[in-house]
Amino acid sequence: MKWFEKMILVMGMLIGIITSNFYNDKEVAKKEEFKVKEKVILETGSKKPSLEDFTETWGEIGTNIEISYQNQNDNNELQVLIIYKNINGEEVSYEDAIQDDILKEGYQQENILIGTGVYTVSIKDEIKEYKSLLVIEDTIAPLLEGRDVIIEEGEVITPNLFVSSCTDNSREECKYYFVDKEGKEIEKMDVNIGEQEIYIIAKDSSSNQSEIVTVKLNVNKKEIVSEINNEMINNTLSSKQNEYSQNKINQKEGFYYNDKVEDFKVVSFYGSETDREMLEYINSYRRKVGLGNLQLSENLNKAATLRAAELALSFSHTRPNGLSWPSVLSEFSISYSFAAENVSYGYGTSLDSAEKAAKAFRNSEGHYQNMISSSINYMGVGKYIQNGSTYWAIIFTS
């Protein structure tokens, strides 16, 4: 036999062996059994599992597959929450994700596991049923962010007061606790005049604990203050009546200003809840841009309250006596190198709360810039109600 004939014979034998192995492997693959995992463990807040998550070994399985879940404790079905994400992967509301009852292009809908528990999983095709377990755990601690707080002597503090935000994979509300440096919970917090460090933690419903967050508490000594009340405002306005130009005080909304002002109320005075609420709203705007907190000033409050009452006579940064508004500062012996004033008014309930007034100032660029100025350190709040209208004056100084 010639050499090339031998070569052809050997090549033919090799091709036969390779072909035989290929068909044998294909038959084995056909007979491979589809197997599921005995148990799948996921964190609450994870995506709802799919068939791939339960698959141990791929093999023959039907096309019409049904997956069902049953809680081993209460026989309830799997709890899921539908969420939506935009093209950047950020979670958005249903209203932002859906247009004309259709999911916007690039947006995604996800089913998120909520709660914890052990579920019996049934995977069925046209012929067979497979069994697995789904264990939903919560082992992830909340993410807590704190904030510094300023209070007056005698005010009550709670851990919630020092919380800026808290997020948890369970999507449930966090619970907050005072602790010492080592993380041991403290039932009662000792508060002293001045600045001190406070330690707080957050826990979720599974008792997972956040890292210890350190914040600062500044306690100002409470002073004996002389409140600006209705009588003082009345006396002040009455004493200035002769200074006010007659065309500004003759008549306003059908009411004559003669011997005294009637049907009015002073709401703001130093240390009142109204003052503290407005202070907190404005300080929250400042913190968002990296600026420090402002402090209330008793004399600024007196000046701001007088200005709020003057706005009922003449709604302007010029006072009813024709002088510019900063002239009120000298009347209360207030020294300053920089000063700014925010004023507003509304009828009925339009501006009846500190929240509404603060948001109105926030939505006005000029007023907002005054609130977030780096040149100011103190503020005073004036709120005055007359004939159904609410007048606000906020004064800022260096």
Side-chain angles (χ1 to χ4, degrees), residues 149-333:
V149 172
I150 300 174
I151 65 170
E152 279 191 354
E153 179 185 11
E155 291 187 34
V156 177
I157 62 171
T158 62
N160 307 51
L161 188 65
F162 299 89
V163 175
S164 174
S165 67
C166 185
T167 56
D168 187 59
N169 61 316
S170 68
R171 294 176 176 265
E172 298 176 353
E173 289 188 6
C174 302
K175 293 184 178 180
Y176 311 109
Y177 304 87
F178 288 125
V179 295
D180 58 21
K181 286 184 177 181
E182 286 69 41
K184 184 180 178 181
E185 292 182 24
I186 300 174
E187 293 185 6
K188 184 179 180 181
M189 177 63 62
D190 293 327
V191 177
N192 303 309
I193 301 296
E195 183 179 286
Q196 64 187 99
E197 289 187 339
I198 301 291
Y199 307 97
I200 58 172
I201 60 168
K203 292 184 180 180
D204 60 21
S205 58
S206 298
S207 297
N208 296 309
Q209 179 179 310
S210 71
E211 294 184 358
I212 299 173
V213 173
T214 305
V215 293
K216 290 182 179 179
L217 171 65
N218 278 284
V219 181
N220 295 328
K221 186 174 180 60
K222 189 172 183 178
E223 300 176 5
I224 300 176
V225 299
S226 56
E227 299 177 358
I228 290 188
N229 52 37
N230 292 6
E231 184 180 358
M232 293 177 65
I233 285 292
N234 217 331
N235 292 338
T236 303
L237 290 181
S238 297
S239 67
K240 294 181 178 294
Q241 290 274 335
N242 293 331
E243 300 177 21
Y244 299 159
S245 59
Q246 201 63 32
N247 65 336
K248 291 182 180 178
I249 68 172
N250 277 344
Q251 189 175 1
K252 183 177 177 62
E253 297 179 352
F255 183 84
Y256 285 87
Y257 294 85
N258 296 318
D259 295 334
K260 66 177 182 178
V261 181
E262 298 177 355
D263 186 25
F264 74 97
K265 180 171 62 174
V266 175
V267 179
S268 176
F269 56 86
Y270 183 67
S272 70
E273 183 177 353
T274 297
D275 294 359
R276 293 196 301 270
E277 287 180 358
M278 181 62 78
L279 175 70
E280 179 52 36
Y281 281 117
I282 293 176
N283 279 338
S284 69
Y285 301 149
R286 294 176 62 82
R287 289 194 293 268
K288 288 179 180 178
V289 295
L291 294 174
N293 291 333
L294 301 180
Q295 295 184 33
L296 286 173
S297 161
E298 179 182 0
N299 282 339
L300 278 178
N301 259 66
K302 291 179 181 179
T305 301
L306 177 56
R307 284 291 298 130
E310 290 179 345
L311 294 175
L313 297 179
S314 174
F315 187 77
S316 169
H317 288 296
T318 299
R319 302 177 67 188
N321 61 3
L323 298 177
S324 61
W325 77 264
S327 63
V328 75
L329 300 177
S330 61
E331 294 179 20
F332 293 95
S333 302

Side-chain angles (χ1 to χ4, degrees), residues 10-220:
V10 171
M11 289 177 65
M13 293 173 66
L14 288 173
I15 292 172
I17 291 171
I18 294 170
T19 303
S20 175
N21 287 340
F22 172 78
Y23 282 106
N24 286 340
D25 290 345
K26 193 172 182 180
E27 290 299 317
V28 170
K30 281 184 178 181
K31 295 177 182 179
E32 187 72 40
E33 182 182 1
F34 175 80
K35 293 182 180 180
V36 298
K37 297 175 182 177
E38 181 179 344
K39 182 191 298 183
V40 172
I41 302 176
L42 295 175
E43 279 284 334
T44 184
S46 303
K47 286 185 180 180
K48 182 181 178 182
S50 62
L51 178 63
E52 287 78 4
D53 294 307
F54 291 105
T55 301
E56 180 76 40
T57 306
W58 280 104
E60 291 188 18
I61 189 169
T63 55
N64 187 20
I65 300 170
E66 295 181 359
I67 304 177
S68 60
Y69 305 85
Q70 189 174 43
N71 192 300
Q72 291 189 349
N73 290 331
D74 52 24
N75 293 327
N76 288 333
E77 296 181 355
L78 191 66
Q79 298 182 63
V80 297
L81 175 69
I82 299 175
I83 66 170
Y84 301 90
K85 292 185 177 180
N86 61 19
I87 56 178
N88 298 320
E90 301 166 334
E91 190 171 330
V92 296
S93 66
Y94 172 87
E95 289 75 16
D96 290 335
I98 303 297
Q99 186 174 14
D100 298 328
D101 297 328
I102 299 175
L103 191 66
K104 292 180 182 178
E105 184 177 356
Y107 284 62
Q108 295 181 339
Q109 175 181 310
E110 293 182 2
N111 293 329
I112 301 299
L113 299 174
I114 58 175
T116 58
V118 179
Y119 292 82
T120 300
V121 184
S122 172
I123 303 173
K124 293 182 181 179
D125 63 10
E126 299 87 343
I127 301 173
K128 191 174 180 180
E129 179 181 13
Y130 305 87
K131 292 286 188 179
S132 181
L133 284 180
L134 172 62
V135 179
I136 305 176
E137 298 180 333
D138 182 8
T139 63
I140 300 176
L143 182 60
L144 174 65
E145 292 186 8
R147 64 173 185 174
D148 299 337
V149 172
I150 300 174
I151 65 170
E152 279 191 354
E153 179 185 11
E155 291 187 34
V156 177
I157 62 171
T158 62
N160 307 51
L161 188 65
F162 299 89
V163 175
S164 174
S165 67
C166 185
T167 56
D168 187 59
N169 61 316
S170 68
R171 294 176 176 265
E172 298 176 353
E173 289 188 6
C174 302
K175 293 184 178 180
Y176 311 109
Y177 304 87
F178 288 125
V179 295
D180 58 21
K181 286 184 177 181
E182 286 69 41
K184 184 180 178 181
E185 292 182 24
I186 300 174
E187 293 185 6
K188 184 179 180 181
M189 177 63 62
D190 293 327
V191 177
N192 303 309
I193 301 296
E195 183 179 286
Q196 64 187 99
E197 289 187 339
I198 301 291
Y199 307 97
I200 58 172
I201 60 168
K203 292 184 180 180
D204 60 21
S205 58
S206 298
S207 297
N208 296 309
Q209 179 179 310
S210 71
E211 294 184 358
I212 299 173
V213 173
T214 305
V215 293
K216 290 182 179 179
L217 171 65
N218 278 284
V219 181
N220 295 328

